[in-house]
Amino acid sequence: MPNIEVILGDITKQAVDAIVNAANCSLLGGGGVDGAIHRAAGPELLAECRTLHGCETGKAKITKGYRLPAKYVIHTPGPVWQSGGYGEEALLRSCYRSCLELASQNGCETVDFPSISTGVYHFPLEKASRIAVGTIAAYLAEHPEIRRVRMVCFDARTKAHYDRALAELA
Ligand code: ADP
């Protein structure tokens, strides 16, 4: 079994090597988990993000964690769900994979993800949870340098979907 866990919690409180931010393409902060991460990390995070000149959907960029307990923040803009006909699934897969590649390149052994795109970007949770755990499991199978990945879910409904997707993998 791949080393993937699903927990209920607040990603800004996790003392791991890297947390992932479900960002937008500006990388200059927003609502939801993005706002929470910027509030908890402090203004130095926004200052570093300004130097990055944004990020394309499906790609990722890394910063330090500043006042967060996490060492790094990996920022990835997820796709906005339109109808499924605009490459949304491939873009979401690319988000998870790009974040894990950056984690490997920066020596991160423990990585926590929020449920990318399933908040204001409205990606259907059932599809998103399967894409997330499938992509993470495939990556971990080839990259033992990452010891553990967790999905940090903010509500019970989200956690139930990720628990089910993980159970389906087994
Ligand atoms: P997106 O724009 O990618 O949809 P959102 O921030 O709107 O991003 O939502 C993504 C997920 O993050 C949702 O499930 C939301 O409930 C969750 N979320 C919000 N705040 C936190 C937090 N502090 N820790 C973990 N997850 C969070």
Side-chain angles (χ1 to χ4, degrees), residues 3-169:
N3 204 350
I4 306 174
E5 294 172 18
V6 178
I7 64 165
L8 195 58
D10 179 345
I11 204 163
T12 67
K13 307 268 196 269
Q14 308 306 321
V16 288
D17 293 330
I19 64 168
V20 171
N21 180 15
N24 58 52
C25 291
S26 77
L27 297 185
L28 299 180
V33 70
D34 194 3
I37 288 172
H38 276 275
R39 276 194 299 279
E44 297 95 334
L45 178 62
L46 183 58
E48 184 175 358
C49 283
R50 284 190 201 287
T51 70
L52 300 176
H53 306 294
C55 185
E56 285 172 45
T57 301
K59 304 271 173 66
K61 292 193 178 178
I62 192 166
T63 64
K64 290 188 277 187
Y66 299 97
R67 298 177 199 174
L68 291 165
K71 188 167 175 208
Y72 294 104
V73 181
I74 299 174
H75 306 262
T76 186
V80 177
W81 181 262
Q82 290 169 289
S83 61
Y86 294 84
E88 294 96 323
E89 298 192 26
L91 285 167
L92 189 62
R93 228 172 268 120
S94 173
C95 285
Y96 283 95
R97 187 150 190 108
S98 301
C99 288
L100 291 167
E101 284 167 358
L102 268 183
S104 289
Q105 287 159 18
N106 287 275
C108 300
E109 297 184 354
T110 52
V111 183
D112 281 7
F113 282 93
S115 178
I116 299 167
S117 284
T118 67
V120 297
Y121 282 2
H122 291 302
F123 205 108
L125 246 181
E126 188 168 338
K127 275 190 204 299
S129 56
R130 287 185 178 146
I131 289 169
V133 300
T135 306
I136 294 166
Y139 189 87
L140 293 184
E142 296 164 7
H143 294 272
E145 72 275 12
I146 299 192
R147 282 197 295 111
R148 187 194 68 195
V149 173
R150 296 190 304 192
M151 292 302 312
V152 180
C153 303
F154 208 46
D155 60 86
R157 177 173 165 260
T158 300
K159 182 175 183 293
H161 275 89
Y162 283 87
D163 279 333
R164 197 173 312 140
L166 189 56
E168 280 171 10
L169 266 191

